[in-house]
Structure formats: structure tokens, C-alpha cells
Amino acid sequence: MLNFRTAIKKLGTTKQKGDKGESFAEAYLLNQGLRTVAKNFRYKTGEIDLIMEDNQHLIFVEVRYRKNIHHGSGSETVDYKKQQKLIKTASYFLQKHGLTESRACRFDVVGISGSLSAQPTVNATNIEWLKNAFTA
């Protein structure tokens, strides 16, 4: 019989799962032609998981992982309060880098469900990429 501590170690920490989900989302977005600008950008108002770019936009990406979607997808958990934190943090990023007037921006959400094994596959992992998921 496993004790509690051993069971937790087998599952991995929430941060480890989040990091793995973010890495998988980044690889997926890179495969879609985006380029990475920054990861885990933090400010007092919150954190942006990924900042990517394509030819037209600077893209602020929130990544949400759920092993299963019985209670809704990860994308559905990005509520108004979270959106406001992301908007404020993105605004600071733009100011810090002198980009307030020069770049078109958007907010995307990447929802991941299924297995996050060492080598996730499309069959084992479902990805929901919501482009322009909300506006500032």
C-alpha cells in the first residue's frame, strides 16, 4: 500500500505538470509557425505562460491543462478575473519593452487535456488552441 507522500511523488507536483503542459504547448505553437519571445513572464499582477509572435501579432498565451474534461476544458477556466490579470501583465510587458504603440497584440488560450507523458502524441493529448480568445 502506498503512503500519501509516495502517492504525491508519483503524481508529480502541480507546477511540474504545468511546466510540462507549457512545454508541450510551446512545441505545438512552434510547429504551427510561431516564434517564442518569452516564457513565464512575471509581474506583480500575474504571469503570462508564453509570449509568442507570428508575422503580424505579438501573442500572449495562457496554457491550461486538465487530465480529463469531465468538468469542462482547461480553456473554460480562463475567467474574467484571469483575463484582467493577463491584460495588466501584458500591458506591463509592452511598456517595459517600448512596444505600446508598435505591435498588434492578441490573447490566445491553449487548453490541453489527456496524457502528458514524456513523449506526448496527438492521439494521447488533445489540444484546443483558441486564437484571440478575449480582447483587452
Side-chain angles (χ1 to χ4, degrees):
M1 181 171 180
L2 293 175
N3 66 29
F4 180 74
R5 184 170 283 145
T6 305
I8 293 298
K9 285 182 182 177
K10 281 192 152 208
L11 291 174
T13 67
T14 301
K15 176 154 179 23
Q16 289 170 329
K17 290 176 188 175
D19 290 346
K20 189 177 271 191
E22 289 171 15
S23 293
F24 187 60
E26 180 185 17
Y28 175 80
L29 294 172
L30 289 169
N31 195 43
Q32 303 301 311
L34 276 61
R35 292 175 301 282
T36 303
V37 174
K39 300 179 199 180
N40 301 315
F41 178 80
R42 289 179 177 84
Y43 183 58
K44 65 183 178 181
T45 54
E47 177 185 10
I48 298 175
D49 297 325
L50 297 168
I51 302 173
M52 310 287 286
E53 67 179 349
D54 62 14
N55 293 331
Q56 300 172 358
H57 297 92
L58 188 62
I59 306 162
F60 299 98
V61 182
E62 175 66 10
V63 179
R64 292 295 175 107
Y65 168 70
R66 289 223 167 149
K67 184 166 182 150
N68 62 59
I69 57 171
H70 296 300
H71 299 290
S73 71
S75 301
E76 294 171 331
T77 66
V78 182
D79 60 9
Y80 178 79
K81 185 176 177 180
K82 180 62 176 179
Q83 291 173 15
Q84 294 307 302
K85 287 181 178 184
L86 292 167
I87 290 166
K88 288 176 185 174
T89 305
S91 178
Y92 176 73
F93 177 88
L94 292 170
Q95 290 174 5
K96 181 178 178 183
H97 293 89
L99 300 171
T100 53
E101 301 294 326
S102 62
R103 288 297 301 263
C105 300
R106 73 174 196 237
F107 293 91
D108 290 4
V109 175
V110 174
I112 301 172
S113 61
S115 173
L116 284 179
S117 62
Q119 296 293 330
T121 65
V122 175
N123 294 336
T125 307
N126 294 310
I127 299 173
E128 178 183 33
W129 180 18
L130 301 176
K131 295 179 182 179
N132 206 25
F134 59 93
T135 57

